[in-house]
Amino acid sequence: MDNNLKPVKSVRTNIKKFESLSFADATKGSRPENDGSGKEIDLRKAQSPRSDQSIRSSGSSKTLIQVVDDSGSTLSSKPASPGDEPSPDSTLLSLSTEDVSPSDKPHSVSEAKKSPKANERSSPLNSASADQNRVSLTSSAPTLDVVSEDKNDRRPLPAVKGISSPKEATLILKSNPDFEHLTSVLSYLKDGLEDRHDFNVKVHSAASSALLHALVGTTVKNYWETLESMRNERRMLFGCLSSITGLATVRASLVSLIQDFKQGDTRTQAVTTARVALAEKVMLLLAQILRPQKTNSFLSNILKDVFRLYVRSGQREAIVQELVSLIAGSRLHSTAGEATAIFSRSEAKDDNGLWMGDARQWSTWLGGNITYAASQIEVHEEEKWRALGSLMKRGFSLGHPETIVSEIYRGLLLGSKALWPQMQALYDGLRLRSDRGIFLSVLLRDLTKKFLSTRVQQSNYELEIDNREAVAGVAAIVAGLVETNSTYEDFLVGFLTADGVIESFDTKRAMLAVLATKEEKLRNILEKSLKLFGDKYKIQHGSMLQQEVLMQIVLLTFGYLHRMKSDAVAELSHSSLFLNAVSSRLGASLPRARFLGMILGTCVSHLVDGEKNALKFGDEDMKTAESKWYHSLVNLRDEVGSIESLKALARQSASTETLSSQSHGPPSGYRSSKATTAKRKIEHTSRVISIEEVQDSESEDEDSLVPYQKPDEDPSDSDDDPTLVNRSKPTAPVYITSLITQLRSDEPDTLQIALRAAPSLIRRKVGFGTEISENIDTLLSTLINLQAKGGGLEEEEFHSLRLQSLIACFLALPERVGHWLSSIYFEGDFSNSQRAVILTVIGLGSRELAGFEDEQLLTQNTPANQTQSPFPSKRLPPNLAAIYSSTSPTPSPLTTITNQISHSTIQPLALSAADAATGPKILKVRTFSSRLTKSNSNTHPQTKTKPRKTTIPKSLHHTLSTTLYLPLCTRLNLLTSYRSSLSTPFLSPFPLHLTLQTLTLLLHALGPHAPQLHPLTHETLLLLLALHVLPADTSLDQLVLPGTLQLLLTVLEVNIAAGGVAEERLVTEFGEMCAELVRWVGGLEGAGVAKPREEEEMGMGRGMPWTVLAAGIQVKWMEVGRKFQGRMLGLMGGEEGW
């Protein structure tokens, strides 16, 4: 069979060496071509609607028509006749037979009015036969492919006429058009948006997708700079792309650029620069689409278009789900973040698109758009509220739910007008009950952070309760949400009685104020709380912080119920729940648990029996300020107020932030203006030395005057204008207020002088007046937020001086600063480096307060300490020292001290084991243990006689245990009890490693004679039990595992050194917990934990190898077992290796 008689699927026109083309009226007499299969294809119609135009080529141009089959093989070829017109597209195009049929004409405006669903029929979401209506790149009909070798050649287009179809607009955009043709396409699309013809580019279809893809590729690459100066055309472009299809198209372009950048040739600087510039244009285009005229109206406009263009609810739901996945499901955000990381340049002037790569700023944008859309929706439009609810719920997965919720309630409630109906409708728009609970929980957490006190434990037990207006305002917001449905109040009951949930004291007050008039809810809270409060297992193994929080809830609830119905309190006081709770507490072995039981019994007895007949205990703890504070909780009464108080606080905080930003630092505190003025006057006064009257004498010999020598050349005098010379040199600060001012200075020299003078100045001010106590909070915030600004300070010296200054603040006011540091570590928004500074201050400051000397560790990186380096002739040049120097990185002070503590514990055990392995002692002249004793006495001969440099305060143990150790230990224990908390920064390896090291130093500083050793041991073992059941990637991390074992070894060492009572308590009261931990330690090697290499051991900043620590723990536990062998066998029975 002849090749020309085979079935033909497509005709390919290949233009080789295409030089110049022009369109003219020279093909009116052209005839249709026959492909040999009986079908005729009119090339003039296949070209475009411009069928009356022709191609005029030069004599050197060659046009070849190739007939190919399905497999792509060439069947025949022949030169093209002058009438065979190729498409004006300079790239590969593909048109189906439907595209070239004479019946393919646009509908008129009248037809569009008669058939309003014309756009719906073209959407793939509307019909099962959508694939037939789509402009496909493959078809059973013959297709015409035009390929040009010179893709950069711009062929002249005809004069601009009215565009009649989206296919024609797409062909124009693909033909590398000039700006006049681009404007005509934008005008055509704008007419469709205004319903002047039946094609709307915002309706999802294959035609709109292809057109928008061509539009983005043309405008961004060729005409972006031109559009920036043309307001109308730019507005038309953004209007066309402000749809779900437009967003998907821009995102696809950005993804393509990212892939090309990863896979392409980046060796030439020109290629890389061009790609980066193009990606920045796409990023800027996307940013301006998402922020039309820098407003939050994008989401509102999208929802209006969706509910206007799509009639069926199923179509709208599908479109809304696509919108949710794009803007709230991190598809756009993740792509923008990757593009920002790849293409962002430091020299880029316009950073309007960089915010899309930051999760917090994206959440802020999403929350603002949800707020604006909610303010534009009527309350009865339930489908739109469900769409906003889906967006809000999905947005929580971005990692910043507080940011989204904060934007919503601040915009709807704390603005000029409170939009309560919209806020309630938005809350009801969340479909699932669990989603509403999450929203309310996030709302309470953000309100607490912004308006209430975040403290869980009281730093000072004052009888006067503050923050009443703020608590009333927060209660008003919560009450406004839950009043629409009584079942929403169950969320508050669940928050108050949940096991392990810790809320601040003011937050509990606000929630109980909302439920103050609900007798049934108050009874439910008391029943659940008393059941948990009297649980013997919770008393023995629960965190003491949880028990104290539960105690506060019980007392507050008893007070509200007593004021509402006193008979109900009397009934509950005789119930089995109450009696079992008090008796279980009084019979507990923990002193703190007994104290809480006595508080509960006496408080309820005062309410029921009166003050005269109330129950009384003759314990000294019942006369303390803490006991009186707990007794005052039953009389505390908060009410639901108005949100106007929160508006005033919001304006006050906004003004404070403005002043803080203007002063380049945190707010200056709460000191009075008079005191500040007086201090400034004192600071700038001068002292007159003497006044001497000098009489003129003409007889004085002027020749005897010796003139001054000419001064050396001053670089500052080189300026031509002497008024511009700054001769004011910074001086060292004398007062704390001037120190804070200089620390906030932007001048590196001023910061250098202030930072070097800060440690000694703070220590000198201790005990002299109230200057330290009045400015301590501001000084701490300034030092922690301080950043290195260059100058004469190196980075190591800067961190060392800042650390010394913070330690001086801690030593000045240990209890107050200790509470502040332990609270701000968990509640403050800090980076990992700032949290590391806080933990280092706690650890080293506590040791110095206890009398230990660690000054060398603080100054090991300062220039004064670096003067001990070898003589210059003994050093290598800097360029060679960087290559051949074998010095290991200096470990942190916490790691160094922790290693010393572990070494002092492990070394005697190792020497004893060496003595036992080398034979009986009677056969040895000298044992290894005696050598250790001799070496210690030779190395430190002055330790027995040298007195301590500092006086240990009497409240040392109370300060370190109640203000530092227990808050850190209990809060960290609570974080491990939530699965969602595994993503928090506190449980990542590095912060967790530092926290465990800090706890080890604190426990070692407290020593074996601490009165609070019993609760300290209890809380530490609870924390270790929680840590060892975490996922393996956390608990067995190479940083976390040594810290866990060091803390366990220190607990055993301190209790053994405390004497027989504490040692026996390890076996009796804490025996099960210790046995479980020792079993876990013994199974680490079998669990597949990698053994550390020799170079990763001491000196590399990772501490002592975990294998050595594990052996020391087992040996210590065996020593305890020898003394209490019977009990130990009962605990360890059935375990191998014991």
Side-chain angles (χ1 to χ4, degrees):
M1 180 182 296
D2 191 0
N3 289 336
N4 294 331
L5 300 179
K6 290 184 179 181
V8 177
K9 291 298 182 181
S10 64
V11 179
R12 177 173 300 165
T13 302
N14 191 3
I15 303 176
K16 298 182 178 180
K17 299 182 180 179
F18 191 82
E19 296 180 355
S20 63
L21 290 176
S22 63
F23 295 93
D25 297 332
T27 59
K28 294 182 179 179
S30 61
R31 295 171 296 179
E33 291 288 332
N34 193 301
D35 61 359
S37 61
K39 289 189 177 182
E40 293 183 352
I41 300 178
D42 193 345
L43 296 179
R44 293 174 300 166
K45 295 179 182 179
Q47 168 208 321
S48 69
R50 297 182 294 274
S51 60
D52 58 341
Q53 299 163 351
S54 63
I55 302 176
R56 206 169 43 235
S57 63
S58 63
S60 60
S61 300
K62 296 180 180 180
T63 304
L64 187 68
I65 297 180
Q66 296 177 348
V67 182
V68 297
D69 57 6
D70 289 337
S71 61
S73 59
T74 302
L75 302 181
S76 66
S77 62
K78 66 175 182 178
S81 63
D84 298 337
E85 300 174 357
S87 172
D89 189 8
S90 60
T91 59
L92 182 65
L93 296 182
S94 180
L95 302 177
S96 64
T97 53
E98 295 179 1
D99 302 332
V100 300
S101 62
S103 60
D104 187 15
K105 297 181 180 180
H107 296 286
S108 61
V109 178
S110 60
E111 291 177 354
K113 294 181 179 179
K114 293 178 182 179
S115 180
K117 298 184 180 180
N119 281 320
E120 294 181 27
R121 289 195 298 269
S122 65
S123 173
L125 298 173
N126 302 331
S127 173
S129 62
D131 293 336
Q132 300 175 0
N133 300 328
R134 190 170 40 158
V135 180
S136 176
L137 296 179
T138 59
S139 176
S140 59
T143 59
L144 179 67
D145 296 342
V146 182
V147 182
S148 174
E149 290 186 353
D150 188 3
K151 296 184 179 180
N152 296 323
D153 180 42
R154 174 180 292 178
R155 281 171 280 176
L157 294 176
V160 178
K161 298 180 180 179
I163 301 176
S164 57
S165 68
K167 303 178 185 65
E168 182 180 355
T170 305
L171 289 174
I172 292 176
L173 292 174
K174 290 182 177 181
S175 302
N176 202 3
D178 56 15
F179 190 75
E180 187 178 3
H181 287 83
L182 175 63
T183 306
S184 66
V185 173
L186 293 176
S187 300
Y188 168 74
L189 297 178
K190 179 185 177 182
D191 293 341
L193 297 179
E194 296 174 355
D195 295 333
R196 296 179 182 177
H197 54 77
D198 64 336
F199 178 74
N200 194 325
V201 74
K202 290 188 176 181
V203 176
H204 184 66
S205 64
S208 61
S209 298
L211 196 151
L212 290 177
H213 182 75
L215 180 63
V216 171
T218 301
T219 56
V220 174
K221 184 177 181 180
N222 300 328
Y223 296 107
W224 180 252
E225 291 79 4
T226 306
L227 287 172
E228 286 183 344
S229 60
M230 310 193 69
R231 183 176 180 181
N232 294 331
E233 285 76 5
R234 188 173 67 252
R235 185 178 297 177
M236 287 190 292
L237 174 64
F238 294 159
C240 296
L241 295 175
S242 296
S243 63
I244 300 174
T245 308
L247 287 179
T249 303
V250 178
R251 176 182 176 273
S253 301
L254 200 57
V255 170
S256 177
L257 287 172
I258 293 173
Q259 293 176 351
D260 291 344
F261 186 85
K262 291 180 178 179
Q263 301 174 2
D265 185 11
T266 60
R267 290 175 294 179
T268 60
Q269 184 66 25
V271 174
T272 303
T273 305
R275 288 172 177 169
V276 170
L278 186 59
E280 288 178 351
K281 294 177 183 178
V282 178
M283 287 283 290
L284 188 57
L285 171 65
L286 180 59
Q288 294 184 4
I289 293 173
L290 295 177
R291 281 182 173 173
Q293 299 178 359
K294 297 183 179 181
T295 62
N296 291 325
S297 60
F298 170 78
L299 182 58
S300 177
N301 298 333
I302 288 287
L303 290 178
K304 288 179 182 178
D305 292 336
V306 169
F307 284 85
R308 179 177 60 88
L309 298 175
Y310 298 94
V311 179
R312 301 176 183 176
S313 60
Q315 300 169 2
R316 292 196 295 265
E317 185 175 356
I319 291 295
V320 168
Q321 290 301 321
E322 181 68 17
L323 176 65
V324 169
S325 64
L326 270 176
I327 67 174
S330 75
R331 287 177 60 186
L332 269 179
H333 164 61
S334 60
T335 304
E338 186 177 3
T340 301
I342 294 177
F343 300 114
S344 61
R345 298 180 298 177
S346 58
E347 65 271 14
K349 298 180 180 179
D350 197 344
D351 59 348
N352 290 335
L354 300 182
W355 63 269
M356 297 182 297
D358 185 79
R360 185 180 295 276
Q361 296 187 42
W362 184 273
S363 300
T364 303
W365 171 84
L366 180 60
N369 275 262
I370 292 175
T371 303
Y372 183 83
S375 64
Q376 304 297 317
I377 299 176
E378 299 295 334
V379 179
H380 58 82
E381 297 177 319
E382 296 182 359
E383 192 173 355
K384 292 184 178 180
W385 291 115
R386 288 197 297 269
L388 288 182
S390 300
L391 285 165
M392 183 171 57
K393 174 191 173 183
R394 190 69 177 273
F396 288 167
S397 62
L398 295 174
H400 299 278
E402 295 91 347
T403 304
I404 298 176
V405 173
S406 176
E407 290 291 326
I408 291 173
Y409 78 79
R410 290 171 74 95
L412 294 179
L413 300 180
L414 302 184
S416 58
K417 182 180 179 181
L419 303 177
W420 275 112
Q422 284 78 5
M423 185 69 182
Q424 293 169 351
L426 181 61
Y427 183 64
D428 294 335
L430 295 169
R431 299 186 179 184
L432 300 179
R433 176 183 172 86
S434 59
D435 297 336
R436 299 190 184 103
I438 293 173
F439 178 86
L440 188 59
S441 174
V442 174
L443 175 65
L444 283 170
R445 190 161 60 244
D446 190 75
L447 288 171
T448 302
K449 184 177 180 180
K450 286 184 171 60
F451 301 106
L452 302 178
S453 174
T454 56
R455 67 179 185 273
V456 178
Q457 292 177 316
Q458 301 297 316
S459 57
N460 50 356
Y461 296 95
E462 299 177 357
L463 297 181
E464 183 179 357
I465 307 297
D466 53 357
N467 293 340
R468 290 187 180 274
E469 293 184 0
V471 170
V474 172
I477 291 182
V478 177
L481 285 180
V482 302
E483 67 181 3
T484 58
N485 194 332
S486 59
T487 58
Y488 294 165
E489 296 174 351
D490 295 337
F491 292 137
L492 302 180
V493 176
F495 295 155
L496 291 169
T497 58
D499 185 17
V501 176
I502 298 297
E503 301 289 352
S504 72
F505 178 65
D506 291 344
T507 309
K508 296 189 289 287
R509 290 168 55 190
M511 288 190 286
L512 285 172
V514 176
L515 304 176
T517 58
K518 313 292 183 181
E519 180 183 353
E520 182 181 357
K521 304 298 181 184
L522 294 177
R523 279 179 171 270
N524 193 7
I525 292 172
L526 279 177
E527 290 176 358
K528 293 182 178 180
S529 300
L530 288 174
K531 185 177 180 180
L532 290 174
F533 193 71
D535 190 351
K536 293 184 179 180
Y537 182 83
K538 296 293 182 183
I539 296 173
Q540 185 67 24
H541 300 284
S543 173
M544 194 55 61
L545 180 60
Q546 291 180 345
Q547 300 179 33
E548 292 175 356
V549 169
L550 193 60
M551 181 69 189
Q552 297 171 7
I553 295 173
V554 170
L555 295 180
L556 289 172
T557 310
F558 264 121
Y560 281 110
L561 187 59
H562 177 72
R563 286 186 290 271
M564 178 186 297
K565 191 175 182 181
S566 58
D567 295 341
V569 176
E571 180 182 354
L572 279 173
S573 64
H574 294 87
S575 64
S576 59
L577 280 176
F578 177 79
L579 296 177
N580 288 335
V582 175
S583 61
S584 299
R585 289 279 166 178
L586 295 178
S589 59
L590 294 172
R592 188 67 179 175
R594 293 196 300 268
F595 170 74
L596 295 179
M598 290 187 289
I599 291 292
L600 178 60
T602 54
C603 288
V604 176
S605 179
H606 273 83
L607 294 177
V608 176
D609 303 326
E611 186 175 357
K612 294 183 179 180
N613 300 325
L615 179 66
K616 296 180 181 179
F617 292 93
D619 197 288
E620 291 294 331
D621 293 338
M622 301 301 294
K623 300 177 183 179
T624 59
E626 182 182 5
S627 175
K628 295 178 181 179
W629 182 83
Y630 274 111
H631 281 81
S632 67
L633 294 183
V634 295
N635 299 320
L636 179 60
R637 183 175 183 178
D638 290 302
E639 297 179 353
V640 178
S642 173
I643 60 175
E644 296 298 327
S645 58
L646 294 186
K647 291 182 180 180
L649 290 174
R651 289 192 295 267
Q652 181 181 358
S653 63
S655 61
T656 304
E657 290 176 0
T658 304
L659 292 175
S660 173
S661 61
Q662 292 176 357
S663 61
H664 305 283
S668 58
Y670 297 95
R671 59 179 182 272
S672 62
S673 59
K674 293 182 180 180
T676 306
T677 305
K679 290 175 183 177
R680 289 178 180 174
K681 289 181 179 179
I682 294 174
E683 182 179 352
H684 295 288
T685 55
S686 59
R687 184 162 54 95
V688 179
I689 304 297
S690 63
I691 299 177
E692 182 179 356
E693 184 178 355
V694 180
Q695 296 181 356
D696 294 336
S697 177
E698 296 180 358
S699 61
E700 186 176 359
D701 190 6
E702 296 181 357
D703 296 336
S704 61
L705 297 177
V706 180
Y708 290 108
Q709 295 180 358
K710 183 181 178 180
D712 296 334
E713 220 175 292
D714 191 354
S716 61
D717 290 336
S718 60
D719 202 318
D720 296 336
D721 189 356
T723 60
L724 300 179
V725 178
N726 183 16
R727 298 185 182 278
S728 59
K729 304 295 182 181
T731 58
V734 181
Y735 302 99
I736 298 297
T737 52
S738 15
L739 172 63
I740 296 173
T741 304
Q742 292 186 11
L743 289 175
R744 294 176 177 177
S745 175
D746 291 333
E747 299 180 1
D749 295 338
T750 305
L751 176 61
Q752 175 183 351
I753 293 175
L755 200 54
R756 285 177 175 171
S760 59
L761 177 62
I762 297 172
R763 291 177 185 267
R764 288 199 312 267
K765 292 292 182 178
V766 176
F768 293 94
T770 60
E771 191 175 4
I772 286 288
S773 60
E774 290 177 356
N775 301 280
I776 190 65
D777 295 336
T778 308
L779 182 58
L780 287 169
S781 300
T782 305
L783 288 171
I784 289 179
N785 295 311
L786 199 60
Q787 301 292 333
K789 300 177 182 178
L793 282 179
E794 297 182 357
E795 185 176 1
E796 292 81 4
E797 185 181 4
F798 169 79
H799 290 297
S800 177
L801 291 174
R802 182 175 65 166
L803 194 60
Q804 295 179 42
S805 303
L806 287 169
I807 292 176
C809 293
F810 173 75
L811 297 176
L813 298 171
E815 189 169 354
R816 180 176 172 181
V817 177
H819 269 294
W820 191 87
L821 291 174
S822 59
S823 300
I824 206 68
Y825 175 75
F826 292 101
E827 299 163 5
D829 189 8
F830 295 124
S831 62
N832 283 340
S833 61
Q834 290 174 316
R835 290 194 174 96
V837 170
I838 293 175
L839 293 175
T840 306
V841 171
I842 292 175
L844 299 183
S846 301
R847 284 180 58 84
E848 187 171 350
L849 189 66
F852 295 95
E853 300 177 4
D854 302 317
E855 296 180 0
Q856 295 181 355
L857 297 176
L858 294 175
T859 59
Q860 61 183 358
N861 294 324
T862 58
N865 191 50
Q866 294 174 358
T867 57
Q868 301 176 2
S869 56
F871 193 73
S873 61
K874 301 293 184 180
R875 305 181 205 161
L876 287 173
N879 57 340
L880 297 178
I883 301 175
Y884 296 103
S885 178
S886 60
T887 56
S888 59
T890 305
S892 64
L894 293 183
T895 302
T896 302
I897 300 175
T898 307
N899 290 338
Q900 294 175 359
I901 295 173
S902 302
H903 188 268
S904 62
T905 304
I906 295 295
Q907 189 177 19
L909 301 178
L911 295 178
S912 299
D915 289 336
T918 53
K921 293 183 180 181
I922 194 172
L923 300 178
K924 299 176 184 177
V925 178
R926 187 177 180 183
T927 61
F928 290 99
S929 302
S930 62
R931 296 176 185 175
L932 174 64
T933 305
K934 182 65 175 178
S935 63
N936 289 338
S937 60
N938 293 335
T939 306
H940 306 285
Q942 71 279 14
T943 53
K944 295 183 179 181
T945 59
K946 185 177 180 179
R948 295 179 184 266
K949 290 185 178 181
T950 58
T951 304
I952 300 177
K954 296 181 180 179
S955 59
L956 170 69
H957 297 101
H958 179 268
T959 301
L960 296 185
S961 60
T962 59
T963 64
L964 291 174
Y965 191 90
L966 289 177
L968 286 175
C969 188
T970 53
R971 293 288 289 270
L972 186 61
N973 187 15
L974 290 176
L975 288 176
T976 59
S977 61
Y978 300 105
R979 293 184 181 272
S980 59
S981 298
L982 294 177
S983 59
T984 60
F986 304 104
L987 294 182
S988 56
F990 180 69
L992 184 57
H993 165 69
L994 289 180
T995 307
L996 294 174
Q997 285 186 339
T998 304
L999 292 176
T1000 302
L1001 297 187
L1002 284 172
L1003 190 59
H1004 182 266
L1006 284 166
H1009 305 295
Q1012 298 86 4
L1013 184 59
H1014 188 188
L1016 293 176
T1017 305
H1018 178 257
E1019 295 296 333
T1020 306
L1021 292 177
L1022 289 178
L1023 173 63
L1024 293 173
L1025 285 174
L1027 289 176
H1028 93 286
V1029 296
L1030 289 178
D1033 56 348
T1034 301
S1035 61
L1036 302 181
D1037 186 83
Q1038 59 182 356
L1039 288 176
V1040 177
L1041 182 59
T1044 305
L1045 298 180
Q1046 284 173 343
L1047 184 57
L1048 178 57
L1049 181 62
T1050 306
V1051 170
L1052 296 176
E1053 176 68 18
V1054 170
N1055 279 271
I1056 292 173
V1061 177
E1063 190 175 0
E1064 184 179 0
R1065 195 186 297 130
L1066 289 175
V1067 180
T1068 56
E1069 189 172 345
F1070 306 129
E1072 295 181 1
M1073 292 188 284
C1074 291
E1076 171 63 24
L1077 290 171
V1078 174
R1079 290 192 192 103
W1080 172 69
V1081 171
L1084 286 177
E1085 187 173 357
V1089 183
K1091 294 183 179 181
R1093 295 177 298 179
E1094 294 181 359
E1095 60 269 17
E1096 292 181 353
E1097 294 181 359
M1098 303 283 292
M1100 294 300 292
R1102 296 184 179 179
M1104 186 172 289
W1106 69 265
T1107 51
V1108 179
L1109 296 171
I1113 291 171
Q1114 297 183 33
V1115 172
K1116 284 288 183 183
W1117 186 242
M1118 289 292 291
E1119 289 182 358
V1120 178
R1122 294 190 187 96
K1123 298 180 181 179
F1124 308 96
Q1125 187 172 4
R1127 295 174 180 174
M1128 186 65 69
L1129 290 175
L1131 291 172
M1132 306 300 296
E1135 291 291 329
E1136 296 181 0
W1138 292 93

